[in-house]
Every structure is written in C-alpha cells, then in structure tokens.
Amino acid sequence: MIYLLEDDESIRKFVTYALKQSGIEAAGFSLPSEFYSAMEKKLPDLVLLDIMLPEADGLTVLKKLRLDPVTKNLPIIMLTAKSSEYDKVLGLDSGADDYLTKPFEIEELLACIRA
C-alpha cells in the first residue's frame, strides 16, 4: 500500500490511478490531517509526499514521521515542484529516501518505488 499526500487533485488522481494500473494498492490524501488519520488505521509500505500543502508543509510531515518510532523507517519519496538544489538537499537531509520533482514521468516514479 502506498499513501500519496498531494493537495493537487489532478496529480493525486493521476498518480493513484497509475499506481493501481501497475498493480500497486494506493490511496491519496489532500490534507495532512486526512493522511494522519489513515496512518492511525493502517501503515503504508511507502509514502509519496508533496512539500507545498495546506495545514502543514511536507517537510514538517516528513520530520514528524521520522521522529515517530513507529514510522521512522518508513520509506518516503518527496514528489514536489520545489526543484532547486537547496530544496532537494533539504528534503534528503530531512530524511526523505528519494526526491522527484514535478513534472515527472510516471515510469521514473515507478522505478523509484521499485528501488
């Protein structure tokens, strides 16, 4: 199961659809509060995380996941429009396992997930 936290509805629907078409169970959330609620019920195998979100930015979500003993080792891929070298380094140094920038190719995302 992959959870996607992405506030852009079209991207969220596209990515979850593509994952499901690839045989991967996926669920998308537009708000961190919805994401956290789902996390309390079932932990995913991987999280795809945008940075620019309402309620809390993705780096805050990432840091919270890394501080929690239950989720500290959960694989997390940042999937964001923030594409500067600084943003990439910040995301990776904050605990992301990988960092993809928008626009992205779905095959590239699938390769990162497989890795």
Side-chain angles (χ1 to χ4, degrees), residues 8-23:
D8 184 304
E9 183 178 8
S10 61
I11 294 172
R12 190 174 61 251
K13 285 183 175 182
F14 170 69
V15 171
T16 55
Y17 173 80
L19 292 173
K20 289 175 183 178
Q21 289 301 305
S22 297

Side-chain angles (χ1 to χ4, degrees), residues 82-106:
K82 306 266 288 172
S83 61
S84 73
E85 179 182 2
Y86 172 80
D87 292 317
K88 291 176 187 178
V89 170
L90 182 60
L92 294 167
D93 282 350
S94 295
D97 296 290
D98 208 341
Y99 195 106
L100 288 178
T101 58
K102 299 173 190 171
F104 60 92
E105 297 294 329
I106 198 66

